[in-house]
Amino acid sequence: KKGPYDYLIVGAGLFGAVFACRMKAAGKKVLVVERRDTRGGNLYCDRIAGINVHSYGAHIFHTSDKEVWDFVNRFAEFNRYTNSPLAYYRGKLYNLPFNMNTFYSLWGVTTPQQACVRIEEQRRAAAVAEPRNLEEQALSLVGRDIYEAFIKGYTEKQWGRPCTELPAFIIKRLPLRFTFDNNYFNDRYQGIPIGGYNVLIDGLLDGIEVRLGMDFFEHRSRLEALADKILYTGSVDRYFDYCFGRLEYRTLRFETEVLECGNYQGNAVVNYTDAAIPYTRIIEHRHFDGSGPESRTVITREYPSEYRDGDEPYYPINDVRNEAMYEKYKMLADADSNTLFGGRLAEYKYYDMHQIVRKALDLSKREL
Ligand code: FAD
Ligand code: UDP
């Protein structure tokens, strides 16, 4: 046996926390090290003006995986929040995801048949046989009106590239619906932990030794000597000293403001789909859980930008060039029998939380 711990876990994000929790429950000794001064990775919440604020972007838990849902509910009670964002375009508000309310506001159509006819006409006019990029994918799925009002401007801001240069799969996340249902997600279960995500993370990490403010790479050899095995959840290119080059990300700047009013926009999420407005969305945190005083509210504007060294890497850019580079890193990672790689940064994949929980549960089962 190498050191006092069975597992060293690098990163106290959701992946690291779920894995740590399962391994501890099985009697393993684990140590978690985290670069930030906070636990939970991008789930971390702050309390501002009596309101629970999602510090690294709004997080809504949704899944159809019952085992995942039951697992997270062991650590936190979830409220019944249902995400139903609005889109602000040229001074008007529209419901998302694209549904009968959107089609009614956009075209005045009142029945699913009328909406289908409209969309079919537009799809045909687009005449895309085999979509080669995001623009063609969107035109072939929803037609030009919806593409131009709700997709083009938002997506080009979010990704900093023209839609004709983006991979088509990004847009498959947006469903098209012929009912008056504004629920953004199709999943069976959805909600936000009562008291915020810190409750979930505290529950997962209960009784586990976590060293905050500690970067693995600053103490690498000392830390490696402490445990038999490592679970690494940081950036995979960093782990291998960028030997194949740097993977690209999009980052976000969050501009948070306390306002002297109890209700600023009447909804948790409003997307700004005009290209001319520099932010992509405004989050009003109190609407996630109804918390907060009557006289104040907290809002956050999200400004996407290109990632530079030292920024937080939020969104992997899964285009052909970056995917090819990641595949090389993955070969090195697979060949490293002492280190496990898991999560959004180590696998360079845009995972939602339920996918992270699923992956971390599966990995812990394999290890035990
Ligand atoms: P992370 O949360 O990034 O955790 C990795 C941790 O490792 C971090 O704390 C990091 O500081 C630490 N670390 C990295 N390198 C080192 C090092 N060298 N030494 C020590 N520690 C290190 N998912 C949903 O399901 N619903 C949503 O609504 C949703 N909204 C999102 C909105 C935004 C803006 C973003 C960015 C993400 C959103 N997600 C959402 C995705 C969700 O955040 C991820 O699925 C989840 O946080 C991934 O967990 P992780 O542990 O893999 O990564
Ligand atoms: N998107 C869009 N218009 C919108 C919302 C989303 O075109 O009003 C596109 C955009 O390309 C975005 C993708 O859909 O990157 C996924 O958006 P979603 O809000 O589901 O993902 P998130 O950024 O919250 O992870």
Side-chain angles (χ1 to χ4, degrees):
K1 191 161 166 62
K2 235 167 123 184
Y5 298 97
D6 296 304
Y7 287 88
L8 169 73
I9 297 169
V10 180
L14 186 61
F15 198 107
V18 170
F19 186 80
C21 172
R22 294 314 295 151
M23 299 319 272
K24 176 177 177 275
K28 301 290 179 191
K29 267 209 97 197
V30 300
L31 170 66
V32 180
V33 296
E34 167 57 53
R35 180 170 61 185
R36 293 182 188 168
D37 293 322
T38 54
R39 318 191 314 168
N42 291 338
L43 273 58
Y44 173 71
C45 296
D46 223 342
R47 209 154 187 79
I48 303 176
I51 294 165
N52 192 58
V53 171
H54 299 189
S55 306
Y56 297 97
H59 279 73
I60 300 117
F61 202 100
H62 57 95
T63 184
S64 293
D65 186 330
K66 189 164 188 313
E67 191 190 337
V68 165
W69 183 244
D70 289 344
F71 178 76
V72 294
N73 274 271
R74 279 167 45 194
F75 305 95
E77 190 184 338
F78 280 66
N79 69 17
R80 37 144 290 182
Y81 177 79
T82 299
N83 199 32
S84 48
L86 295 163
Y88 177 97
Y89 177 65
R90 295 194 177 164
K92 280 186 72 180
L93 288 170
Y94 300 86
N95 289 107
L96 294 176
F98 309 133
N99 69 68
M100 283 305 297
N101 291 304
T102 330
F103 309 143
Y104 173 65
S105 305
L106 199 59
W107 300 314
V109 293
T110 55
T111 65
Q113 288 74 14
Q114 290 168 358
C116 283
V117 168
R118 277 283 183 150
I119 287 174
E120 217 22 71
E121 273 170 19
Q122 300 219 351
R123 279 180 177 155
R124 235 177 296 123
V128 177
E130 195 59 38
R132 286 163 305 177
N133 55 52
L134 193 149
E135 174 165 301
E136 293 184 357
Q137 174 77 18
L139 289 172
S140 71
L141 282 174
V142 297
R144 186 158 299 274
D145 285 359
I146 291 178
Y147 171 65
E148 285 186 347
F150 306 122
I151 297 174
K152 188 176 191 303
Y154 188 101
T155 298
E156 294 188 345
K157 286 193 284 190
Q158 172 75 3
W159 296 98
R161 291 155 174 72
C163 287
T164 48
E165 287 173 23
L166 283 165
F169 75 86
I170 294 177
I171 218 67
K172 288 191 189 129
R173 284 169 67 102
L174 291 174
L176 195 64
R177 222 181 259 155
F178 293 91
T179 61
F180 291 90
D181 178 4
N182 297 325
N183 181 354
Y184 196 63
F185 299 114
N186 289 318
D187 282 319
R188 175 126 59 120
Y189 310 107
Q190 181 173 176
I192 301 217
I194 294 172
Y197 284 92
N198 297 356
V199 173
L200 172 64
I201 296 294
D202 288 348
L204 290 168
L205 292 176
D206 187 33
I208 288 168
E209 193 180 340
V210 183
R211 296 193 193 155
L212 294 177
M214 180 176 272
D215 191 314
F216 171 70
F217 297 104
E218 284 171 18
H219 310 271
R220 186 168 187 166
S221 49
R222 186 167 67 77
L223 288 171
E224 279 175 340
L226 287 179
D228 296 352
K229 246 180 160 178
I230 296 175
L231 165 69
Y232 177 78
T233 72
S235 302
V236 67
D237 54 353
R238 172 73 184 90
Y239 188 88
F240 295 109
D241 289 322
Y242 306 108
C243 64
F244 300 125
R246 282 171 190 260
L247 293 167
E248 290 180 296
Y249 293 89
R250 283 297 276 177
T251 192
L252 295 171
R253 183 167 64 80
F254 298 106
E255 197 182 87
T256 296
E257 222 183 314
V258 180
L259 302 177
E260 302 299 318
C261 75
N263 187 2
Y264 172 71
Q265 63 183 15
N267 204 42
V269 184
V270 180
N271 290 359
Y272 285 78
T273 60
D274 287 275
I277 296 175
Y279 42 87
T280 44
R281 40 189 182 196
I282 299 183
I283 306 300
E284 186 172 10
H285 301 270
R286 65 181 308 138
H287 298 302
F288 286 123
D289 58 8
S291 71
E294 269 174 33
S295 56
R296 292 168 111 192
T297 196
V298 180
I299 62 165
T300 302
R301 291 188 180 81
E302 283 182 26
Y303 295 83
S305 67
E306 206 59 33
Y307 168 84
R308 278 187 228 96
D309 213 16
D311 290 339
E312 289 293 342
Y314 289 122
Y315 293 91
I317 297 179
N318 297 105
D319 60 10
V320 175
R321 201 182 79 84
N322 284 291
E323 279 301 295
M325 193 188 290
Y326 170 67
E327 281 309 314
K328 294 196 207 165
Y329 283 118
K330 187 171 183 308
M331 298 235 288
L332 290 185
D334 289 345
D336 186 330
S337 59
N338 229 29
T339 308
L340 306 163
F341 293 80
R344 205 175 45 95
L345 299 170
E347 296 178 61
Y348 196 63
K349 272 196 194 59
Y350 191 72
Y351 287 131
D352 276 331
M353 291 180 282
H354 61 284
Q355 296 167 305
I356 292 286
V357 174
R358 167 48 61 203
K359 289 257 164 182
L361 289 177
D362 289 350
L363 183 65
S364 61
K365 278 180 207 157
R366 274 204 302 280
E367 283 298 297
L368 289 166

